[in-house]
Amino acid sequence: ILVFLALLSCKKDQLESAIPYRQVNLLVYPNTPEYFDISSPGGHVYVNGGYRGILIYRYTQDEFRVFDRACTYDPDDPCGRVHFEMQGDVLVQDTCCGSTFQVIDGTVTEGPAAQSLRPYQYNWDGNTLHIFN
């Protein structure tokens, strides 16, 4: 049983490392003109950071969804970058592999990707959105 659990643990580590780790520590101010697109729920912006850039989606007035834009199917492919497009609640990565992901939690809705998008943590104080890992 211990060997099985160790193997399962190794596989989980491999899955989590599909997108190379990059330190993220960003401050974003959604109430400024620069970030007007996320001043209200339903808006999104792309910012530099992470591995292939970061997508910020304003889910509600006080909640955001923050993901690395790298498609988990082939994170090293320069064209493997998710683009936001509302079709229900999905992110659409249509320029390369066609995988789609839920905007709510980053899970795959259509492959070939098998892993969820890499989420980033955030704190929101009503003025400053701090994104970090």
Coordinates of all heavy atoms in Angstrom, one line a residue, residues 2-53:
L2 N 2.0 1.2 0.8 CA 2.8 2.4 0.8 C 3.5 2.7 -0.5 O 3.6 3.8 -0.9 CB 3.9 2.2 1.9 CG 3.4 2.3 3.4 CD1 4.5 2.0 4.3 CD2 2.8 3.6 3.7
V3 N 3.9 1.6 -1.2 CA 4.5 1.8 -2.5 C 3.5 2.4 -3.5 O 3.8 3.3 -4.2 CB 5.1 0.5 -3.1 CG1 5.5 0.6 -4.5 CG2 6.2 0.0 -2.2
F4 N 2.3 1.9 -3.5 CA 1.2 2.5 -4.3 C 1.0 3.9 -4.0 O 0.8 4.7 -4.9 CB -0.1 1.6 -4.1 CG -1.2 2.2 -4.9 CD1 -1.3 2.0 -6.3 CD2 -2.3 2.9 -4.3 CE1 -2.4 2.5 -7.0 CE2 -3.3 3.4 -5.0 CZ -3.4 3.2 -6.3
L5 N 0.9 4.3 -2.8 CA 0.7 5.7 -2.4 C 1.8 6.6 -2.8 O 1.6 7.7 -3.3 CB 0.4 5.8 -0.9 CG -0.9 5.3 -0.4 CD1 -1.0 5.3 1.1 CD2 -2.1 6.0 -1.0
A6 N 3.1 6.0 -2.7 CA 4.2 6.8 -3.2 C 4.2 7.0 -4.7 O 4.5 8.1 -5.2 CB 5.5 6.1 -2.8
L7 N 3.8 6.0 -5.5 CA 3.7 6.2 -6.9 C 2.6 7.1 -7.3 O 2.8 8.0 -8.2 CB 3.4 4.8 -7.6 CG 4.6 3.8 -7.6 CD1 4.1 2.4 -8.1 CD2 5.8 4.3 -8.3
L8 N 1.5 7.1 -6.6 CA 0.4 8.0 -6.8 C 0.8 9.4 -6.5 O 0.5 10.3 -7.3 CB -0.8 7.6 -6.0 CG -2.1 8.4 -6.2 CD1 -2.6 8.2 -7.7 CD2 -3.2 7.9 -5.3
S9 N 1.6 9.6 -5.5 CA 2.1 10.9 -5.1 C 3.0 11.5 -6.1 O 3.0 12.6 -6.5 CB 2.8 10.8 -3.7 OG 3.6 11.9 -3.5
C10 N 3.9 10.6 -6.7 CA 4.8 11.0 -7.7 C 4.1 11.5 -9.0 O 4.4 12.5 -9.6 CB 5.8 9.9 -8.1 SG 7.0 9.5 -6.8
K11 N 3.0 10.7 -9.3 CA 2.3 11.1 -10.5 C 1.6 12.5 -10.3 O 1.5 13.3 -11.2 CB 1.2 10.0 -10.8 CG 0.5 10.3 -12.1 CD -0.3 9.1 -12.6 CE -1.1 9.5 -13.8 NZ -0.8 8.6 -14.9
K12 N 1.1 12.7 -9.1 CA 0.4 14.0 -8.8 C 1.4 15.1 -8.9 O 1.1 16.1 -9.5 CB -0.2 13.9 -7.4 CG -0.9 15.2 -7.0 CD -1.5 15.1 -5.6 CE -2.1 16.4 -5.2 NZ -2.5 16.5 -3.9
D13 N 2.6 14.9 -8.4 CA 3.7 16.0 -8.5 C 4.0 16.2 -10.0 O 4.2 17.4 -10.4 CB 5.0 15.5 -7.8 CG 4.8 15.5 -6.3 OD1 3.8 16.1 -5.8 OD2 5.6 14.9 -5.6
Q14 N 4.0 15.2 -10.8 CA 4.3 15.4 -12.3 C 3.1 16.2 -12.9 O 3.4 17.1 -13.7 CB 4.4 14.1 -13.0 CG 5.7 13.3 -12.6 CD 5.7 12.0 -13.2 OE1 4.7 11.4 -13.6 NE2 6.9 11.4 -13.3
L15 N 1.9 15.9 -12.5 CA 0.8 16.7 -13.1 C 0.8 18.1 -12.7 O 0.5 19.0 -13.5 CB -0.6 16.0 -12.6 CG -0.9 14.7 -13.2 CD1 -2.2 14.2 -12.6 CD2 -1.0 14.7 -14.7
E16 N 1.2 18.4 -11.4 CA 1.2 19.8 -11.0 C 2.3 20.5 -11.6 O 2.3 21.8 -11.6 CB 1.3 19.8 -9.4 CG 0.0 19.3 -8.8 CD 0.1 19.2 -7.3 OE1 1.2 19.5 -6.7 OE2 -0.9 18.9 -6.6
S17 N 3.3 19.9 -12.1 CA 4.5 20.6 -12.7 C 4.4 20.7 -14.2 O 5.4 21.1 -14.8 CB 5.8 19.9 -12.2 OG 5.8 18.6 -12.8
A18 N 3.3 20.5 -14.8 CA 3.2 20.6 -16.3 C 3.5 22.0 -16.7 O 4.1 22.2 -17.7 CB 1.8 20.2 -16.8
I19 N 3.1 23.0 -16.0 CA 3.4 24.4 -16.3 C 4.6 24.8 -15.4 O 4.4 24.8 -14.1 CB 2.2 25.3 -16.0 CG1 1.1 24.9 -17.0 CG2 2.6 26.8 -16.3 CD1 -0.2 25.6 -16.7
P20 N 5.7 25.2 -15.9 CA 6.8 25.6 -15.1 C 6.5 26.7 -14.1 O 5.8 27.6 -14.4 CB 7.9 26.1 -16.1 CG 7.5 25.4 -17.4 CD 6.0 25.3 -17.4
Y21 N 7.0 26.5 -12.9 CA 6.8 27.5 -11.8 C 7.5 28.8 -12.1 O 8.6 28.9 -12.5 CB 7.3 26.9 -10.5 CG 7.1 27.9 -9.3 CD1 5.9 27.9 -8.6 CD2 8.2 28.7 -9.0 CE1 5.8 28.8 -7.6 CE2 8.0 29.6 -7.9 CZ 6.8 29.6 -7.2 OH 6.7 30.5 -6.2
R22 N 6.7 29.9 -11.9 CA 7.3 31.2 -12.0 C 6.8 32.0 -10.8 O 5.6 31.9 -10.5 CB 6.9 32.0 -13.2 CG 7.3 31.4 -14.5 CD 8.9 31.5 -14.7 NE 9.3 31.1 -16.0 CZ 9.7 29.9 -16.3 NH1 9.7 28.9 -15.4 NH2 10.2 29.7 -17.5
Q23 N 7.7 32.7 -10.1 CA 7.2 33.5 -8.9 C 6.3 34.6 -9.4 O 6.6 35.3 -10.4 CB 8.5 34.1 -8.3 CG 8.2 35.0 -7.1 CD 7.7 34.2 -5.9 OE1 8.2 33.1 -5.7 NE2 6.9 34.7 -5.1
V24 N 5.2 34.8 -8.7 CA 4.2 35.8 -9.0 C 3.9 36.6 -7.8 O 3.6 36.0 -6.7 CB 2.9 35.2 -9.6 CG1 1.8 36.2 -9.7 CG2 3.2 34.5 -10.9
N25 N 4.0 37.9 -7.9 CA 3.7 38.8 -6.8 C 3.3 40.2 -7.4 O 4.2 41.0 -7.6 CB 4.9 39.0 -5.8 CG 4.6 39.8 -4.6 OD1 3.4 39.9 -4.2 ND2 5.6 40.3 -4.0
L26 N 2.1 40.3 -7.8 CA 1.6 41.5 -8.6 C 0.6 42.2 -7.8 O -0.2 41.7 -7.1 CB 0.9 41.0 -9.9 CG 1.8 40.2 -10.9 CD1 0.8 39.7 -12.0 CD2 2.9 41.1 -11.4
L27 N 0.6 43.6 -8.0 CA -0.5 44.4 -7.5 C -1.2 45.0 -8.7 O -0.6 45.6 -9.6 CB 0.1 45.5 -6.6 CG 0.8 45.1 -5.3 CD1 1.4 46.3 -4.6 CD2 -0.1 44.3 -4.4
V28 N -2.6 44.9 -8.7 CA -3.4 45.4 -9.7 C -4.5 46.2 -9.1 O -5.0 45.9 -8.0 CB -4.1 44.2 -10.5 CG1 -5.1 44.7 -11.5 CG2 -3.0 43.3 -11.2
Y29 N -4.8 47.3 -9.7 CA -5.8 48.3 -9.2 C -7.0 48.3 -10.1 O -7.1 49.2 -11.0 CB -5.2 49.6 -9.0 CG -3.9 49.6 -8.1 CD1 -2.7 49.4 -8.7 CD2 -4.1 49.6 -6.7 CE1 -1.5 49.3 -7.9 CE2 -3.0 49.5 -5.9 CZ -1.7 49.4 -6.5 OH -0.6 49.3 -5.7
P30 N -8.0 47.4 -9.9 CA -9.2 47.4 -10.8 C -10.0 48.7 -10.9 O -10.8 48.8 -11.8 CB -10.0 46.2 -10.2 CG -9.0 45.4 -9.5 CD -8.0 46.4 -8.9
N31 N -9.9 49.6 -9.9 CA -10.7 50.8 -10.0 C -10.0 51.9 -10.7 O -10.4 53.1 -10.7 CB -11.0 51.2 -8.5 CG -11.8 50.2 -7.8 OD1 -12.6 49.5 -8.4 ND2 -11.5 50.0 -6.5
T32 N -8.9 51.6 -11.4 CA -8.2 52.7 -12.2 C -8.5 52.5 -13.7 O -8.9 51.4 -14.1 CB -6.7 52.6 -12.0 OG1 -6.2 51.3 -12.5 CG2 -6.3 52.7 -10.5
P33 N -8.3 53.5 -14.5 CA -8.6 53.5 -15.9 C -7.8 52.3 -16.7 O -8.3 51.7 -17.6 CB -8.2 54.8 -16.5 CG -8.3 55.7 -15.3 CD -8.0 54.9 -14.1
E34 N -6.6 52.1 -16.2 CA -5.7 51.0 -16.8 C -6.4 49.7 -16.8 O -6.2 48.9 -17.7 CB -4.4 51.0 -16.1 CG -3.4 50.0 -16.6 CD -2.1 49.9 -15.9 OE1 -1.9 50.7 -14.9 OE2 -1.3 49.2 -16.3
Y35 N -7.2 49.4 -15.7 CA -7.8 48.1 -15.6 C -9.4 48.2 -15.6 O -10.1 47.5 -15.0 CB -7.4 47.5 -14.2 CG -5.9 47.2 -14.2 CD1 -5.0 47.9 -13.5 CD2 -5.4 46.1 -15.0 CE1 -3.7 47.7 -13.5 CE2 -4.1 45.9 -15.0 CZ -3.2 46.6 -14.3 OH -1.8 46.4 -14.3
F36 N -9.8 49.2 -16.4 CA -11.3 49.4 -16.5 C -12.0 48.1 -16.9 O -13.2 47.9 -16.4 CB -11.5 50.5 -17.6 CG -13.0 50.7 -17.9 CD1 -13.8 51.4 -17.0 CD2 -13.6 50.1 -19.0 CE1 -15.1 51.6 -17.2 CE2 -15.0 50.3 -19.2 CZ -15.7 51.1 -18.3
D37 N -11.4 47.3 -17.7 CA -12.1 46.0 -18.1 C -12.5 45.1 -16.9 O -13.3 44.2 -17.1 CB -11.3 45.3 -19.1 CG -11.3 46.0 -20.5 OD1 -12.2 46.9 -20.7 OD2 -10.4 45.8 -21.3
I38 N -11.8 45.2 -15.8 CA -12.2 44.4 -14.6 C -12.8 45.3 -13.5 O -12.8 44.9 -12.3 CB -11.0 43.5 -14.1 CG1 -9.8 44.4 -13.8 CG2 -10.7 42.4 -15.1 CD1 -8.7 43.6 -13.0
S39 N -13.4 46.4 -13.9 CA -14.0 47.2 -12.8 C -15.3 46.7 -12.4 O -15.9 47.2 -11.4 CB -14.1 48.7 -13.3 OG -14.9 48.8 -14.5
S40 N -15.9 45.8 -13.2 CA -17.2 45.2 -12.8 C -17.2 43.7 -13.2 O -16.4 43.3 -14.0 CB -18.3 46.0 -13.5 OG -18.2 45.8 -14.9
P41 N -18.1 42.9 -12.6 CA -18.2 41.5 -12.8 C -18.4 41.2 -14.3 O -19.1 41.9 -15.0 CB -19.4 41.1 -12.0 CG -19.4 42.0 -10.9 CD -19.0 43.4 -11.5
G42 N -17.7 40.1 -14.8 CA -17.8 39.7 -16.2 C -16.6 40.2 -17.0 O -16.4 39.7 -18.1
G43 N -15.8 41.1 -16.5 CA -14.7 41.7 -17.3 C -13.5 40.8 -17.1 O -13.3 40.1 -16.1
H44 N -12.5 41.0 -18.0 CA -11.3 40.3 -17.9 C -10.1 41.1 -18.5 O -10.4 42.0 -19.3 CB -11.3 38.9 -18.6 CG -11.3 39.1 -20.1 ND1 -12.4 39.5 -20.9 CD2 -10.3 38.9 -21.0 CE1 -12.0 39.5 -22.1 NE2 -10.7 39.2 -22.2
V45 N -8.9 40.8 -18.0 CA -7.7 41.5 -18.6 C -6.6 40.4 -18.6 O -6.7 39.4 -17.8 CB -7.2 42.7 -17.8 CG1 -8.2 43.8 -17.9 CG2 -6.9 42.4 -16.3
Y46 N -5.6 40.7 -19.4 CA -4.4 39.9 -19.4 C -3.3 40.8 -18.9 O -3.2 42.0 -19.2 CB -4.0 39.5 -20.8 CG -5.1 38.7 -21.6 CD1 -5.6 39.2 -22.8 CD2 -5.6 37.5 -21.1 CE1 -6.6 38.5 -23.5 CE2 -6.5 36.8 -21.8 CZ -7.0 37.3 -23.0 OH -8.0 36.7 -23.7
V47 N -2.5 40.2 -18.0 CA -1.3 41.0 -17.5 C -0.1 40.1 -17.6 O -0.2 38.9 -17.7 CB -1.5 41.4 -16.0 CG1 -2.7 42.3 -15.8 CG2 -1.7 40.2 -15.1
N48 N 1.1 40.7 -17.6 CA 2.3 40.0 -17.7 C 2.6 39.3 -16.4 O 2.2 39.8 -15.3 CB 3.5 41.0 -18.0 CG 3.4 41.5 -19.4 OD1 2.9 40.9 -20.3 ND2 3.8 42.8 -19.6
G49 N 3.3 38.2 -16.5 CA 3.6 37.4 -15.2 C 3.3 36.0 -15.4 O 2.8 35.5 -16.5
G50 N 3.7 35.2 -14.5 CA 3.5 33.7 -14.6 C 4.4 33.2 -15.7 O 5.4 33.7 -16.0
Y51 N 3.9 32.1 -16.3 CA 4.7 31.4 -17.3 C 4.4 32.0 -18.7 O 5.2 32.3 -19.5 CB 4.5 29.9 -17.3 CG 5.3 29.2 -18.2 CD1 6.7 29.2 -18.1 CD2 4.7 28.4 -19.3 CE1 7.5 28.5 -19.0 CE2 5.5 27.7 -20.2 CZ 6.9 27.8 -20.1 OH 7.7 27.1 -21.0
R52 N 3.1 32.1 -19.0 CA 2.6 32.6 -20.4 C 1.7 33.8 -20.2 O 0.9 34.1 -21.1 CB 1.9 31.5 -21.1 CG 2.8 30.4 -21.6 CD 3.0 30.5 -23.1 NE 3.9 29.5 -23.5 CZ 5.1 29.6 -24.0 NH1 5.6 30.8 -24.1 NH2 5.8 28.6 -24.3
G53 N 1.8 34.5 -19.1 CA 0.9 35.6 -18.9 C -0.2 35.2 -17.9 O -0.3 34.0 -17.6

